[in-house]
Amino acid sequence: MKDQPRIAPEIRGLLEEIAADPRSDLRLVPRKPLRAWFERGESAPTSAIATTRAERHLVEEHRESLAALLCEAAWLAYWKAPVLAHRPVDAEGKLYDPAEREPRWRARGERFGRTRSINEGTDLLRGVLGRLDAGNAHALAVASLQLVPSDRTRCYVALTIPWDRPRSAAHFFRRLSQTAWPIPLRSQALESLGARLCSLGLYYQAREAYRAVPDATPRSPYGLVCSTTLSCLLGDPRALTVESRRLDAVARSMDEPMQEELALLRTWADTLPASLRTVARNTREQVSGELSELGQAITEVFGT
């Protein structure tokens, strides 16, 4: 994720004024259903968010800066405790590390000030100015979307939907996989769609989502990794062989991101019924001699 724009210095003073005003009630979480905010292309009117003069000025004059801060805060918060999701990889093949990125974000956002006197009505701001918590990731993403709608922020909103609401997340990811801009967001949406469909036990649909991810690259072979895994689970030895060979052509063998991906797959496989794991092991045995080292490692997440 690219660094967000720097925050204007005067915003700190505004936030401190808002925090000190007992009338403050900056409503950055929409009162309408999430779908209404997700689908609309317009930003929320200032009157729907702010009540005091300082709040109105903050939203009217610094909406984009505040949205950028909240968007990055949501991203940082989510990756502190992701649920069965592989961390992004940068151009050098290095895994995203929120602990490394957070100080940089705070350096840009320090102009917002860190205060202990935040009013009870501004829970979201208190969360931003204090310690970023994974539990606030969804609220932060929704707040950013309400301020400045963008498909990148929509992806963050869908990504941070609690894991016990997979159908809502799948609905949003399905739409983003078809319409998101820029185009690379569609691949990310398809991967996340596949994960949510797996959580619903819709393995055939999940495999189709992963297969729809454009040809994998050394930086992002995860669509192929997951479709290969699901072909094994679904008892499809022919597809397993074909997809594992495709994967060999694009994936680094056992670099750090791949090792992390295999660890996630093992965690997920351990949640499956024993009967499904048995099907997967039998499928692997049928083509064991045709699988590469990487293909063998992927299918071994189901046990030996």
Side-chain angles (χ1 to χ4, degrees):
M1 179 181 175
K2 294 182 179 179
D3 289 342
Q4 299 288 353
R6 295 184 66 84
I7 308 302
E10 61 192 280
I11 297 179
R12 173 177 180 171
L14 282 168
L15 285 176
E16 290 176 342
E17 181 178 344
I18 290 169
D21 190 334
R23 299 170 299 165
S24 293
D25 185 21
L26 192 57
R27 296 184 297 270
L28 288 178
V29 177
R31 296 177 177 179
K32 293 183 179 181
L34 174 60
R35 182 174 297 190
W37 287 113
F38 193 92
E39 301 288 348
R40 67 183 295 166
E42 303 83 22
S43 58
T46 302
S47 59
I49 302 173
T51 55
T52 69
R53 183 177 62 180
E55 289 172 344
R56 288 194 296 271
H57 183 66
L58 174 67
V59 173
E60 290 171 357
E61 300 298 324
H62 306 288
R63 181 185 289 261
E64 291 189 2
S65 295
L66 182 57
L69 180 69
L70 293 171
C71 185
E72 188 171 3
W75 186 251
L76 286 163
Y78 174 78
W79 289 109
K80 288 186 173 187
V83 179
L84 293 178
H86 58 261
R87 286 183 289 164
V89 179
D90 64 19
E92 287 73 42
K94 185 177 179 182
L95 287 166
Y96 181 86
D97 183 358
E100 177 184 325
R101 299 296 185 95
E102 185 171 348
R104 303 178 194 176
W105 171 80
R106 289 198 175 281
R108 291 191 296 274
E110 65 183 357
R111 298 173 183 81
F112 276 81
R114 177 178 291 181
T115 177
R116 299 300 181 186
S117 60
I118 296 293
N119 178 270
E120 287 298 320
T122 55
D123 290 341
L124 190 61
L125 281 179
R126 184 166 65 253
V128 174
L129 298 175
R131 183 175 65 89
L132 285 178
D133 185 88
N136 292 333
H138 186 62
L140 291 164
V142 172
S144 180
L145 180 64
Q146 187 175 207
L147 287 166
V148 180
S150 75
D151 283 343
R152 184 174 299 279
T153 308
R154 289 185 176 93
C155 281
Y156 295 174
V157 169
L159 183 67
T160 56
I161 289 175
W163 202 250
D164 60 359
R165 294 168 55 195
R167 295 186 185 278
S168 294
H171 167 79
F172 295 134
F173 279 128
R174 199 180 298 279
R175 175 204 155 172
L176 287 164
S177 71
Q178 299 169 352
T179 63
W181 190 265
I183 295 295
L185 289 175
R186 300 182 189 182
S187 296
Q188 297 171 27
L190 283 166
E191 291 180 0
S192 294
L193 173 61
R196 294 294 184 140
L197 291 172
C198 280
S199 74
L200 290 166
L202 302 174
Y203 302 122
Y204 283 99
Q205 292 184 36
R207 184 171 65 169
E208 291 309 303
Y210 287 125
R211 283 176 170 176
V213 177
D215 288 341
T217 68
R219 283 180 56 194
S220 182
Y222 302 119
L224 265 176
V225 169
C226 293
S227 63
T228 299
T229 306
L230 288 173
S231 289
C232 186
L233 179 70
L234 292 169
D236 192 342
R238 182 175 179 276
L240 171 58
T241 302
V242 171
E243 289 176 324
S244 64
R245 287 175 179 170
R246 286 185 60 206
L247 181 59
D248 289 342
V250 299
R252 300 187 181 106
S253 181
M254 284 296 171
D255 60 6
E256 184 183 6
M258 185 60 69
Q259 291 180 30
E260 180 173 276
E261 182 72 1
L262 292 176
L264 287 171
L265 289 173
R266 281 191 289 272
T267 299
W268 167 72
D270 287 344
T271 69
L272 299 174
S275 57
L276 285 179
R277 297 199 301 271
T278 298
V279 169
R281 289 194 294 270
N282 290 339
T283 306
R284 182 186 66 224
E285 289 303 315
Q286 294 179 51
V287 294
S288 180
E290 302 177 50
L291 298 177
S292 66
E293 178 185 0
L294 182 54
Q296 192 71 29
I298 289 172
T299 57
E300 284 179 356
V301 301
F302 298 108
T304 56

